[in-house]
Amino acid sequence: MLIALSASACSQAPDTSVNVSVIAPMSWANDRVILRGKDGAYAEIGADGTLSLDGNAVALSPEQRAISQRYFAHAMNISKEGVAIGKDGAAFAGKTVSTILNGLASGNPDSIGTKVEADAAVFEQRAQNMCDRLADLRTAQEELSASLPAFEPFAAIEASSISNCRS
């Protein structure tokens, strides 16, 4: 799950603008979260909580708009954290190689494992934080689906995704 969250891939949005996908079937473009339904339909959520389904604006109550805004905020946090983890992962790989080479060159290979494990523990914690963010997004998804049944086809984050992320 962490790899899926931290790896970014490009795809085409409904309006043909380039967007970034971190959690399938969700992508981000131009301050919008774009969700693909199982039937090919799409939903877009804006930063202000606006929601459109297949390009048609949906009238939301103030409560639904607040939920939609939370959904957007959680999705954007996951996107930003995923990109940051990906970049840090590349730096971690370089540092690990350097630690291994220095440990071998200094004749002290026993120090390698301790240093690498300490750095890896930081990533483990960040991965757990990402799972918490995913759980927050799922909560917003479930609240939005419950208050707006038309959103249900776009509710793709399952409870098992959260438990799999944490394992």
Side-chain angles (χ1 to χ4, degrees), residues 87-100:
K87 288 178 180 178
D88 291 348
F92 171 70
K95 185 177 179 183
T96 299
V97 169
S98 177
T99 299
I100 291 169

Side-chain angles (χ1 to χ4, degrees), residues 78-139:
I78 287 172
S79 174
K80 289 174 185 173
E81 183 68 17
V83 170
I85 287 174
K87 288 178 180 178
D88 291 348
F92 171 70
K95 185 177 179 183
T96 299
V97 169
S98 177
T99 299
I100 291 169
L101 293 176
N102 288 336
L104 293 174
S106 69
N108 192 6
D110 294 338
S111 69
I112 296 170
T114 304
K115 290 177 182 175
V116 171
E117 287 174 15
D119 290 338
V122 171
F123 276 95
E124 176 63 27
Q125 182 57 52
R126 288 182 75 186
Q128 291 305 314
N129 291 343
M130 182 70 86
C131 293
D132 293 342
R133 290 180 191 266
L134 186 62
D136 292 340
L137 180 62
R138 184 171 189 279
T139 297

Side-chain angles (χ1 to χ4, degrees), residues 36-38 43 51 53 138 141-158:
R36 293 274 179 200
K38 295 173 186 153
L51 173 67
L53 302 177
R138 184 171 189 279
Q141 168 192 274
E142 295 305 303
E143 290 173 1
L144 192 54
S145 293
S147 72
L148 185 67
F151 186 75
E152 180 61 35
F154 307 99
I157 302 170
E158 302 289 333

Side-chain angles (χ1 to χ4, degrees), residues 12-97:
Q12 291 296 310
D15 65 0
T16 69
S17 63
V18 175
N19 65 72
V20 177
S21 177
V22 179
I23 303 171
M26 181 185 299
S27 58
W28 294 263
N30 304 328
D31 281 342
R32 300 173 288 150
V33 173
I34 302 165
L35 306 162
R36 293 274 179 200
K38 295 173 186 153
D39 62 355
Y42 68 94
E44 294 184 35
I45 300 175
D48 61 355
T50 56
L51 173 67
S52 68
L53 302 177
D54 281 329
N56 300 310
V58 177
L60 300 175
S61 70
E63 179 183 293
Q64 290 169 324
R65 184 176 296 273
I67 296 167
S68 186
Q69 284 175 310
R70 278 197 312 276
Y71 186 98
F72 178 89
H74 291 311
M76 292 308 290
N77 286 337
I78 287 172
S79 174
K80 289 174 185 173
E81 183 68 17
V83 170
I85 287 174
K87 288 178 180 178
D88 291 348
F92 171 70
K95 185 177 179 183
T96 299
V97 169

